[in-house]
Amino acid sequence: MRLSPDEIDDEIKNLPGWSVVNEKLHREIEFDSFNQAFGFMTRAAMEIEKMNHHPEWFNVYNRLTIDLMTHDAGGITRNDINLAKILNSLV
């Protein structure tokens, strides 16, 4: 179920680095190297597959841009919040 703007605002307070951009949870991460960025993406992929909840992400060298939203719900859901928390724990 899609979260309300107030629910999203409450959750964002506990998600360092995340904001809402174009109705998606959004985070940009800069690592020290490509290897660190790729290592993070590899670790994240294991958790993402367990959830079967796949992000939109874009990687250039040591930078990673992540956008989360649930297409079936047409917005941000509890799954997106949970995945953002997992991704934060892996950084």
Side-chain angles (χ1 to χ4, degrees), residues 13-75:
K13 293 174 188 171
N14 300 314
L15 288 172
W18 292 88
S19 61
V20 176
V21 176
N22 297 325
E23 299 182 20
K24 299 175 185 178
L25 286 180
H26 178 84
R27 179 157 186 198
E28 296 178 15
I29 307 169
E30 185 172 334
F31 298 89
D32 290 335
S33 67
F34 173 75
N35 283 341
Q36 286 184 355
F38 194 83
F40 169 83
M41 292 169 64
T42 302
R43 289 187 308 277
M46 304 294 226
E47 298 302 321
I48 289 164
E49 279 298 307
K50 286 180 195 173
M51 289 183 71
N52 193 29
H53 189 64
H54 302 90
E56 297 173 9
W57 62 11
F58 180 73
N59 166 247
V60 175
Y61 183 60
N62 67 334
R63 294 183 320 269
L64 178 63
T65 302
I66 307 167
D67 288 308
L68 303 176
M69 64 97 61
T70 303
H71 295 276
D72 292 344

